Amino acid sequence: MTLFEFLMALASVVIAIALTEMFAGWGRLLRAHITPRIDWLHLGWTLVVVLYSIQYWVGIWPYRDIVFDRIYQVWFLIFPTLFIVLVSYAITPDIEPDAKLDLRDYYMLRRGPIFFGLAAFLAMAQLADMVIFAEHIDLLSYSWWQLHQIGFGLIIVTLIPAMRTSITIHSLVMLVNLVFLISNGIGLYPGANGLIN
């Protein structure tokens, strides 16, 4: 087993925890009676979190040729996964089958941890690229910064719903994130080999 395979296994376990929480949350909602009714905004953001989890896991692959000889490189590889786990726990209600829960209220009450955590995840993914690829890229080059402007903008945009309750703002920010995820997923984004790298 190579060091990369070992690190990939660790990241996979942490991502699996996030995905398990998300899928379990969906399952609990399916088991619940008519109350709570499914809220499209909450459901949409849970989908965004699932897509980011999968995309980050797949985005680790470009690190396969990097020699991990410093422990801080490992930290920066794993830190984003920890934030996505925290976001998955924040966005997923622990609901009993007979519980009465308004998912829109739940979502709005948890918006701080959800969006500060998601922005931290995006920032740590960007930082991971900078730290892990530091010896292989020119961090001062204009083209590198130009390529990462979308990622930096996405971090700032993702912070907005943490401070606002406007459904329009939450919807627009979700749409921005979904456009990024889908375009990255189908290869339209120039950095499609990883999350934001």
Side-chain angles (χ1 to χ4, degrees):
M1 174 182 274
T2 66
L3 181 56
F4 173 77
E5 291 168 337
F6 177 75
L7 296 174
M8 187 71 169
L10 178 60
S12 297
V13 167
V14 180
I15 292 290
I17 292 169
L19 291 174
T20 300
E21 179 62 21
M22 297 303 297
F23 297 147
W26 289 347
R28 286 190 297 270
L29 289 174
L30 290 173
R31 280 192 212 128
H33 294 288
I34 299 300
T35 329
R37 59 188 173 81
I38 303 298
D39 177 58
W40 66 268
L41 189 60
H42 176 263
L43 183 63
W45 275 108
T46 61
L47 178 63
V48 168
V49 173
V50 166
L51 292 176
Y52 269 128
S53 299
I54 294 168
Q55 187 170 317
Y56 184 77
W57 181 74
V58 172
I60 294 173
W61 184 250
Y63 298 138
R64 70 191 174 283
D65 297 326
I66 302 294
V67 176
F68 287 86
D69 56 358
R70 302 279 188 270
I71 191 66
Y72 69 85
Q73 293 171 310
V74 176
W75 295 340
F76 281 98
L77 180 71
I78 301 302
F79 282 164
T81 63
L82 300 177
F83 281 106
I84 205 70
V85 167
L86 294 175
V87 170
S88 69
Y89 274 93
I91 202 169
T92 307
D94 189 17
I95 185 171
E96 298 298 323
D98 294 324
K100 294 184 180 182
L101 177 69
D102 185 318
L103 286 173
R104 177 67 56 87
D105 289 344
Y106 175 86
Y107 166 80
M108 286 298 176
L109 287 172
R110 303 292 189 281
R111 72 185 188 281
I114 292 167
F115 292 104
F116 285 125
L118 194 55
F121 163 73
L122 293 169
M124 291 306 295
Q126 287 274 81
L127 201 53
D129 281 351
M130 289 183 204
V131 170
I132 295 171
F133 286 126
E135 296 173 9
H136 305 278
I137 56 174
D138 181 8
L139 292 177
L140 300 177
S141 74
Y142 176 74
S143 62
W144 189 88
W145 285 100
Q146 188 178 22
L147 183 63
H148 283 72
Q149 284 175 351
I150 293 173
F152 292 125
L154 198 58
I155 294 165
I156 293 166
V157 167
T158 303
L159 284 170
I160 296 169
M163 300 170 273
R164 300 282 185 253
T165 58
S166 165
I167 302 305
T168 304
I169 289 174
H170 283 252
S171 302
L172 288 174
V173 173
M174 180 172 56
L175 182 63
V176 167
N177 278 272
L178 282 171
V179 166
F180 169 76
L181 283 160
I182 292 167
S183 62
N184 195 2
I186 62 175
L188 295 178
Y189 179 67
N193 63 330
L195 180 64
I196 302 176
N197 43 356

